[in-house]
Amino acid sequence: MTDVRVAEGLKAAMRRMPGPVALVTTADPVDGAYAGLAASAVIPVSMEPPSMLVAVNRGASAHTTLAHAGRFCINLLCTGQTDLVRLFSDSTRRAERFAGEGWRDRDGLPWLPAACASIFCTVETTQHFGTHALFVGAVDGVIAGAGAEPMGWIEGDFARMLGLQTQPA
C-alpha cells in the first residue's frame, strides 16, 4: 500500500518540474478509427537507436487502441494550442477530436502539421507499472514544425518553454 504522504509529496515535487505537452495519437488496426490522448509523460529514451517513451493510464480510452495498433505519433504542441489539449482531455468530446481540418494521415496514423514536432513510432516494448502502461517506440520518422514556440506544463498550468540565454563570462 502506498503511503499517502509519499504520493502527495511526489505529486507536489513533480508539479515543479516542467514537462512537454503532447497529443499521442494512433489508429485502430481493424477499422482505422483514430484515437488519442493528451499527455505530458513523453520522453526520449535513446538516440541510438532513436526511441521514445509514452506513459499511458490504462484507464484512458486510447490505451486499448494503442496497445493493439502497435504504432503511435507524439505531436508536441505549441503555445496557442491549449484548446486541443482540453478537447483531448475531455472524454465526452471524443468524437470531436479529429474533426478539425488540421489533421493529416501518414501511413494510417493521424498527425498534426501545426504541432512543434510530430514523432512517429512503432512500439518495441510495453511494460505495465501501477496504473500505467509504458510504451517504448522506435522512431520511424520526425516532422518538425518551423519556428513554433513549444508549450509546457508546470505547476498545474500551461507554460511557454523558452531557452535560457546565457551571458558570456
Side-chain angles (χ1 to χ4, degrees):
M1 182 123 200
T2 302
D3 183 332
V4 173
R5 292 170 299 167
V6 171
E8 288 300 315
L10 177 60
K11 184 177 180 179
M14 294 311 297
R15 286 176 58 95
R16 299 193 58 100
M17 179 183 286
V21 180
L23 299 180
V24 177
T25 57
T26 190
D28 187 288
V30 176
D31 65 12
Y34 292 162
L37 61 125
S40 60
V42 298
I43 60 169
V45 175
S46 172
M47 292 301 136
E48 190 55 48
S51 52
M52 294 291 293
L53 179 141
V54 296
V56 177
N57 189 308
R58 289 188 282 165
S61 62
H63 170 265
T64 301
T65 304
L66 198 156
H68 288 111
R71 300 184 314 140
F72 59 90
C73 181
I74 300 168
N75 297 278
L76 297 172
L77 297 183
C78 308
T79 56
Q81 294 179 318
T82 57
D83 288 347
L84 280 171
V85 179
R86 289 184 181 96
L87 176 63
F88 274 73
S89 299
D90 184 348
S91 63
T92 65
R93 298 177 65 197
R94 199 173 294 135
E96 300 172 44
R97 292 179 179 171
F98 298 98
E101 296 178 20
W103 292 96
R104 299 290 181 266
D105 187 287
R106 177 178 168 173
D107 299 324
L109 281 180
W111 69 283
L112 188 62
C116 286
S118 296
I119 305 167
F120 300 87
C121 299
T122 299
V123 175
E124 289 290 320
T125 187
T126 304
Q127 176 68 47
H128 290 179
F129 189 85
T131 57
H132 283 63
L134 309 176
F135 294 94
V136 176
V139 176
D140 301 322
V142 178
I143 299 174
E149 188 176 276
M151 182 192 316
W153 184 256
I154 189 166
E155 295 286 350
D157 203 356
F158 299 109
R160 294 171 58 201
M161 303 294 278
L162 303 173
L164 296 175
Q165 300 296 318
T166 57
Q167 300 295 322

